[in-house]
């Protein structure tokens, strides 16, 4: 296992997101990192309704009021802090969390390398 830097904290503001690639058991995946008012979260970029990305490749995950993440296909709403779907066709399911390593100045994750 090795530490991989995703971003310097100063480069992502509250309410912003960034997409990143990672592997899980050797399988390529895509995740997204979000900065919330009270911390940082990351989830696999994969809706729980159908196996497609939430953002359709435009890095827009938050609703306009920043209260939820949303899926651009059918409008599912997910709680940013928990990843739980609270409205939409996958209500009750949850986004798959990605463990982050939060350092003083950087956000990263453990890699399988
Ligand atoms: S694919 Fe996300 S709500 Fe349908």
């Amino acid at each position: 296992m090795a530490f991989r830097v995703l971003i310097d904290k100063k480069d992502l503001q509250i309410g912003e997101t960034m997409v990143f690639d990672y592997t899980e058991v050797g399988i390529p995946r895509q995740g997204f990192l979000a900065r919330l008012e009270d911390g940082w979260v990351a989830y696999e970029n994969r809706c729980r309704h159908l196996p497609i990305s939430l953002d359709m490749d435009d890095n827009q995950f938050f609703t306009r009021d920043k209260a939820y993440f949303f899926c651009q296909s059918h409008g599912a709403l997910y709680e940013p802090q928990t990843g739980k779907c609270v409205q939409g066709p996958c209500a009750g399911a949850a986004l798959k969390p990605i463990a982050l390593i939060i350092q003083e100045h950087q956000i990263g994750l453990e890699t399988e390398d």
Side-chain angles (χ1 to χ4, degrees), residues 33-96:
L33 171 69
R35 186 168 186 175
L36 310 180
E37 285 192 19
D38 57 353
W40 302 77
V41 293
Y43 297 100
E44 184 179 9
N45 184 12
R46 186 178 172 106
C47 187
R48 302 308 294 185
H49 175 218
L50 297 174
I52 56 178
S53 69
L54 296 172
D55 69 328
M56 302 184 84
D57 300 328
D58 71 356
N59 193 31
Q60 296 296 314
F61 291 92
F62 277 109
T63 53
R64 191 177 301 258
D65 64 3
K66 308 287 188 188
Y68 298 98
F69 298 135
F70 76 110
C71 176
Q72 294 192 25
S73 293
H74 307 112
L77 297 179
Y78 296 91
E79 288 180 339
Q81 295 84 356
T82 65
K84 184 177 178 182
C85 180
V86 294
Q87 181 179 310
C90 44
L95 297 174
K96 185 172 182 182

